[in-house]
Amino acid sequence: MEVETAVLQKKNTNETQKEEKYWQYHIRKRIYRHVPITLWIQRYNKMDGLADVIAGVTLGLTLIPQSIAYSALAGVSPQYGLYSAFMGCFVYVIFGSIKEVSIGPTSLMSLLTYEYTRNLTPDFVVVMCFLVGCVEFLMGFFRLGFLVDYISVPVTSGFQTATSLIIIVSQMKGILGVKFHSSGFMDNLCKLFIHANETKFSGDFALGISCIIFLIFMRKLKDIPISEDTTKKKVLKHTLWLLSTSRNFLIVVITSTIAFGFEYNGKEAPFALTKNVRSGLPPFQFPTPPTVDNHTYMWTELLIHPEFRNSIVVIPVIAVLANVAIAKAFTTEGTIDATQEMFALSFCNILGSFFQSMPTCGAFTRSAVANASGVRTPLAGLYSGILTVLALTFLTPYFHLIPRATLSAVLITAVVFLIDWEICKPLWTISKKELFVVVFTLITCLSFGVEFGLFVGVCVTVLNLVFKWARPEIDIETILIHNNSNTVEYNLVRPSMSVYFPAVDLVCNKVIKSAARPVVVDCHHFSNVDYTAAKALSTLIRTFKDRGQTLIFFHISPKLCRTLQHAGCESLVHANTDGELYSLLFGYDLADFSDKPFQVLRGIECIANSKDAVPLLKSPQRRMSALE
């Protein structure tokens, strides 16, 4: 009895240990997935640390001037751009899975922010950032990453080109030195022509054009071919690369120094300068609904606000699309966890809103800089964030010296290379329908707004898919088989995809009108059919039976066979091998052919090593047989 009790206790102990190990394994797996730093920090070494420091500092020199420029694009004070530049960097270190991604303000997020809050106070921008983060968290929780898959490359290209053109046109008034209020691309373009005679060809114009030329030249500086056969040449090549990468920082420092010279000598600068920037770090506080004209908005009011409500749906989708696109562009090994990217992006925006941040996401320009800098892990974002915090702490009294024309030049040169003209040539050759989608999305975005243009582009893409499902390509071949003294000729109908209810009438009509000879339907591409299609195919089988004509379903799956039987088809004739098919067509047993290999010679299929069979004649149209 005591022995049995001991054995039972040992068995229970082993089961308990197994259960504990099971739970420990799955908890550890969850932690590694949703907190990626716990995984890669275990193999972090000194070389990784040095590479991340270099990449992080380089990113910071790019991020700071861009953040100030993007705040102007969003229509808020410069400090909001800097507030948006550090918290995302810190949070993504912990939750991010793509080392090249740098979270912060972007041209796209700034443009959308301006579209939805142009007539609202900056408090609405902060609340928008919080709500955008919440929606991104819900998208990750419900695994809605598949929604991004409906945004095709042509739609993305048209959308990206449209946003680039909108930003360029919106910044032209800063280059030309004219002032006016506008709403939308077309209105902006019209007013630029109207106020063209007010252009100041000194000061802002000269500085803006000079900055654009300088930035484009510096961008090409790193592409100068220099061999690395000596130490001096290696140093020179790396120096040129560093200067090219830091071009935004350099132009801001140079032009601010010029403005400081005018201010130091008691003269007014001949170009417009940036607004004063509030010094110091923002206070840590929960984002609360804003108060306008002694009225404090409720959260429910914000969700139905006519200028605000669409933003918490459009901006999260665009932000996730941008991050996933960057991940696909720079990830060379492994898979992309879109759900984890949603969670990471949501935490960046939610926690960022506690520091008065605008909506943020990854940017292609910064990711390219990080990749070229040799970044090893997301820890590089830590150093970028630290540089931004230092700039907010010590340099904010001097940010008002940055000329507006310089910031406009930084924005223009950042987005002008995102205009995707290269996609037009291959699409003209491959698919003019998809080229139409690019052009249509581009025009709609420019005419009616980027969010509406993106929605219309997705709708056009989905309609194109629906049309392909409703009108699949159907290949009909006439095949002649001659075995000994018997000859059978039949039509092989091969639909290019599964048949669902929009396409079933087309397929059935093709089968009925094919010819007054046996018909074989190749079901190789049939993964499934819906109930309507199953009922229509059952009716087709009965029609052939009433006409006394043979109808055979070839390569039919067991699942499809059961579906047709449940739909009321009791006389289904099907074959899964060539031997079974020939047995049904000839009307007697040809099992001795079923195990023999088949080969294709010049498009002619034959039974190998068989004296009783001759080659099969196949063509889209019926060919004359040897007997005829």
Side-chain angles (χ1 to χ4, degrees), residues 127-141:
V127 173
M128 177 193 293
C129 181
F130 175 76
L131 293 176
V132 165
C134 293
V135 172
E136 289 167 345
F137 180 83
L138 292 176
M139 290 175 66
F141 182 80

Side-chain angles (χ1 to χ4, degrees), residues 1-17:
M1 188 70 178
E2 293 179 358
V3 174
E4 293 180 356
T5 304
V7 171
L8 184 61
Q9 289 177 350
K10 185 176 181 180
K11 183 178 179 180
N12 292 336
T13 303
N14 291 336
E15 291 178 353
T16 304
Q17 290 177 349

Side-chain angles (χ1 to χ4, degrees), residues 111-122:
L111 178 63
L112 291 173
T113 299
Y114 177 74
E115 288 287 332
Y116 290 112
T117 61
R118 69 178 72 182
N119 300 320
L120 303 175
T121 63

